[in-house]
Amino acid sequence: MLINDHLANSGTHLFRWRSFVLTIFIPIIFLATLRGERIELQFGDLAGDLYSGFCIALILAGIVVRVMTVGYVPARTSGRNTKGQVADQLNTTGFYSVVRNPLYLGNALGYLGAALLPQTPWIGLAMLMTLILYFERIIAAEERFLVGKFGKTYTDWAAQTPAMLPAFRQWRAPKLPFSWRTVIRREHPTWLGTFTLLYLLKLVTDYVEGDPMADLVGWHIAMCAALTAQITIMVLKKKTRVFKVEGR
């Protein structure tokens, strides 16, 4: 079997579980958090704060990339489908004009930021290596499908558009207007999952450092608000058409 076929076949199996496979890092991240903030302990509070700010910036950058991608895409493209590949048309504008896989880029930034948060660099390195192997296979499977469906149109676009490292000089304005309703409908699970992870890591960190739980009232309120928003969105999605946008 050719190596590209092997990668694509592996990616086909990973595709269905692409939203869950990397959760194996979550217990590792929490165990590392229990060992304390090493960078802060070794280099001081300022270094620890700067490092944490960098990690949060990576996570936020990932969210922004996903929002700016999903907000412009048409229906039946760039979705959360798990049973098979879906692409009624080829996205080549907006973020897709600068990188072929903007959603995976957004995911990678978020995963890497979360893996680095416990201030244990080897976890971030392990996450980076895993992401390269993981997305390489999924992208190979998707590209085999897209070449079969769009042929030369896809290969011509792929030849000038990087797979994961954006070439912003190639930016082309999106064909569709931005839709916040589409973004909320598709992205709210990602937002809740991200905030829940940060909330739990904050609880563990403060427990390890012996900080009073009373200092976390704001975090508790924010977590309750996030859960309330999640439930509200889910009910509105099921019972109303408030998040339905024609052609999205």
Side-chain angles (χ1 to χ4, degrees):
M1 178 184 294
L2 296 175
I3 187 65
N4 284 342
D5 290 335
H6 173 71
L7 293 176
N9 289 341
S10 300
T12 298
H13 296 297
L14 289 171
F15 178 83
R16 182 171 186 177
W17 307 102
R18 67 192 187 282
S19 297
F20 305 101
V21 171
L22 294 177
T23 57
I24 61 174
F25 275 89
I26 291 179
I28 299 173
I29 291 171
F30 277 102
L31 287 173
T33 304
L34 286 170
R35 301 184 66 179
E37 298 181 307
R38 296 182 178 184
I39 291 177
E40 182 174 314
L41 291 173
Q42 186 169 355
F43 299 105
D45 291 346
L46 178 59
D49 290 343
L50 290 173
Y51 179 88
S52 296
F54 172 73
C55 296
I56 297 298
L58 283 178
I59 294 172
L60 292 177
I63 291 174
V64 169
V65 170
R66 288 189 61 90
V67 167
M68 294 304 295
T69 301
V70 172
Y72 291 109
V73 296
R76 292 181 61 80
T77 63
S78 305
R80 293 179 177 272
N81 47 297
T82 57
K83 294 184 179 180
Q85 309 286 351
V86 175
D88 285 353
Q89 57 184 288
L90 186 63
N91 293 322
T92 60
T93 61
F95 251 100
Y96 283 97
S97 65
V98 300
V99 64
R100 298 203 302 273
N101 302 281
L103 293 180
Y104 292 153
L105 172 61
N107 288 349
L109 291 171
Y111 289 138
L112 188 58
L116 288 169
L117 263 177
Q119 300 190 10
T120 305
W122 72 262
I123 298 179
L125 179 61
M127 174 64 83
L128 179 61
M129 295 175 64
T130 301
L131 288 171
I132 292 172
L133 296 172
Y134 180 64
F135 284 128
E136 179 184 46
R137 283 153 176 77
I138 293 179
I139 290 170
E142 292 186 345
E143 291 193 335
R144 182 169 64 180
F145 166 78
L146 293 169
V147 169
K149 183 158 188 176
F150 298 106
K152 191 173 185 298
T153 301
Y154 178 81
T155 56
D156 287 348
W157 168 69
Q160 64 182 17
T161 309
M164 288 289 281
L165 298 177
F168 290 106
R169 66 184 182 279
Q170 299 180 181
W171 174 266
R172 292 173 56 204
K175 295 179 180 178
L176 297 174
F178 186 83
S179 171
W180 270 111
R181 287 188 290 167
T182 301
V183 170
I184 293 172
R185 187 182 79 243
R186 294 192 183 190
E187 291 298 293
H188 67 92
T190 299
W191 298 342
L192 179 65
T194 300
F195 186 76
T196 300
L197 177 62
L198 294 177
Y199 171 73
L200 294 176
L201 287 175
K202 179 63 176 175
L203 291 183
V204 173
T205 299
D206 279 28
Y207 171 77
V208 170
E209 294 182 351
D211 293 338
M213 291 294 104
D215 292 347
L216 295 175
V217 172
W219 279 88
H220 299 326
I221 294 174
M223 188 70 243
C224 290
L227 288 171
T228 301
Q230 175 80 354
I231 294 170
T232 302
I233 293 170
M234 292 174 65
V235 170
L236 290 173
K237 281 174 61 175
K238 186 173 183 178
K239 301 294 186 180
T240 74
R241 296 183 58 83
V242 68
F243 294 119
K244 292 290 185 181
V245 180
E246 189 66 29
R248 305 296 185 96

